[in-house]
Amino acid sequence: MTAITVLGTGSWGTALANVLLDNHHDVLMWGRDEKTTAALTEEKMNPRYLPHIPLNEGMKATTNLTDALAHAAVIVLAVPTKAMRDICQQVNALVHDRKTIIHVSKGLEPKTFKRISEIIEEEIDADKLQGVGVLSGPSHAEEVATRQPTTVAIASKDERIRQLGQDLFMCDYFRVYTNEDLVGVEIGGALKNIIALAAGLSDGIGYGDNAKAALMTRGLAEITRLGVKMGADPMTYLGMAGLGDLIVTCTSVHSRNWRCGEMLGKGMSLDAALDQMGMVVEGVRTTQAAYEMAAAYEVDMPITAALYDVLFNEGPVEENVRALMNRQKTNE
């Protein structure tokens, strides 16, 4: 049994806490919402994010961050990208021993272009970090919480963190592979949300399977180009954190990014779609970051540029599609 703290009581943090409890670990969740933490502790449910799904009887949560951090040396960081710096600053101020952090967020920071592991290492003092890893792959929280077969990857520069993550999470319904390519896994997990938004938008407009297949295939090419320019192994994008995550996020009604894109395709404004979602849609912020990164790294990302125009300039979808289809002839 290992003591583990999960920071974040959203759907993904809850689902992963459930996996860890099924593996007989001592898990304490932390979140800001008192109703959610009370429901997790008393009812063994998360009615806001995973309604009607019964959770492990050992589930417990608190709103006291000091208590949560004191509970364990292993922290699973499951907060949205936009909250990452703030929570890391709080962690740094409150902890006095070394922590192993495995983050499970999928996004990039606009303007700085920072990956999540870079934000963690910037905000938490080196003498308070045992190591940093990321758990990523095709994994809808709704399916993991109901114990459906799921396969993901744990990536870290440190072999000990990779092995620890695999040992902590792996069970008969949750298979974990190790991967040395931290950059590639983080970039794949973030950028697939852009393509999922575009895929949902395509479905919302009424385009067919041909269009979605093209988006996914050429989208993977964009992800790979930028990832490799940033130092990733291109083979990573044929694995769980690349192709696997792209498939599930572009094709499932569980995908927040796909659902948001579909609303946009049906004529809803971005603000209205985000309001109706009621949950973080990481692909929106990531589209802005990736659009700026493409220019900075001099990488061609036409799908990302088209989606950026639709999201932030209110560019007409059909006009952007025509522009994509009529780009200069080239080799695949």
Side-chain angles (χ1 to χ4, degrees):
M1 178 184 290
T2 301
I4 303 166
T5 293
V6 177
L7 301 183
T9 54
S11 58
W12 191 216
T14 302
L16 289 176
N18 208 52
V19 172
L20 293 167
L21 286 165
D22 284 352
N23 285 346
H24 309 293
H25 297 300
D26 178 13
V27 180
L28 176 62
M29 298 192 71
W30 169 85
R32 291 189 173 92
D33 185 73
E34 291 185 359
K35 289 183 179 179
T36 300
T37 56
L40 286 164
T41 302
E42 298 166 12
E43 303 169 27
K44 315 305 177 186
M45 300 277 288
N46 190 330
R48 181 176 180 181
Y49 293 109
L50 293 171
H52 315 302
I53 297 178
L55 303 171
N56 189 290
E57 284 300 308
M59 187 69 71
K60 57 185 183 291
T62 180
T63 57
N64 188 311
L65 184 57
T66 300
D67 289 348
L69 294 172
H71 175 76
V74 178
I75 297 174
V76 175
L77 195 49
V79 300
T81 304
K82 67 179 182 180
M84 195 61 64
R85 281 199 184 273
D86 177 64
I87 192 65
C88 286
Q89 289 167 2
Q90 292 183 59
V91 169
N92 192 56
L94 292 171
V95 302
H96 304 288
D97 56 342
R98 294 168 70 85
K99 304 291 187 183
T100 295
I101 296 183
I102 298 174
H103 83 80
V104 297
S105 300
K106 298 176 179 179
L108 295 166
E109 189 173 53
K111 306 302 180 185
T112 71
F113 311 150
K114 298 292 185 180
R115 295 176 285 109
I116 303 300
S117 64
E118 293 178 305
I119 295 172
I120 294 169
E121 290 174 342
E122 281 185 2
E123 297 296 345
I124 299 179
D125 296 341
D127 61 356
K128 297 178 180 179
L129 275 179
Q130 189 68 40
V132 178
V134 56
L135 189 78
S136 188
S139 48
H140 289 311
E142 296 85 351
E143 295 182 8
V144 173
T146 53
R147 301 173 176 84
Q148 297 185 41
T150 301
T151 304
V152 297
I154 175 77
S156 176
K157 293 176 285 188
D158 189 332
E159 183 181 358
R160 294 171 301 171
I161 305 302
R162 298 194 296 269
Q163 191 60 60
L164 175 65
Q166 189 176 52
D167 291 343
L168 291 178
F169 285 97
M170 190 158 165
C171 63
D172 58 1
Y173 66 87
F174 198 76
R175 182 169 178 79
V176 183
Y177 289 95
T178 60
N179 192 315
E180 298 178 12
D181 185 12
L182 179 63
V183 174
V185 169
E186 287 187 303
I187 292 297
L191 298 192
K192 57 89 185 180
N193 287 328
I194 299 172
I195 309 305
L197 270 171
L201 199 150
S202 175
D203 287 337
I205 290 172
Y207 292 151
D209 295 337
N210 295 350
K212 184 183 282 189
L215 273 171
M216 292 171 67
T217 306
R218 297 311 303 165
L220 185 61
E222 289 191 15
I223 293 169
T224 304
R225 281 199 295 270
L226 183 58
V228 169
K229 196 69 177 283
M230 296 177 70
D233 181 347
M235 293 303 295
T236 294
Y237 299 111
L238 297 180
M240 289 297 159
L243 182 60
D245 212 355
L246 186 68
I247 290 170
V248 79
T249 314
C250 289
T251 61
S252 174
V253 294
H254 292 313
S255 168
R256 301 177 192 179
N257 292 279
W258 180 89
R259 290 187 349 243
C260 182
E262 186 192 35
M263 293 178 195
L264 297 175
K266 290 181 176 179
M268 192 176 291
S269 70
L270 178 60
D271 287 342
L274 293 174
D275 184 63
Q276 184 165 321
M277 288 295 299
M279 294 186 288
V280 174
V281 180
E282 290 280 15
V284 175
R285 277 169 52 92
T286 306
T287 299
Q288 180 182 2
Y291 176 78
E292 295 169 355
M293 290 169 73
Y297 283 93
E298 298 182 344
V299 174
D300 189 28
M301 300 184 72
I303 296 173
T304 300
L307 184 61
Y308 178 89
D309 187 55
V310 171
L311 293 178
F312 298 104
N313 298 330
E314 298 183 359
V317 176
E318 293 83 356
E319 186 175 308
N320 275 285
V321 171
R322 280 195 298 273
L324 285 171
M325 296 298 292
N326 289 307
R327 294 174 67 240
Q328 185 176 357
K329 297 175 185 177
T330 186
N331 294 324
E332 186 175 28

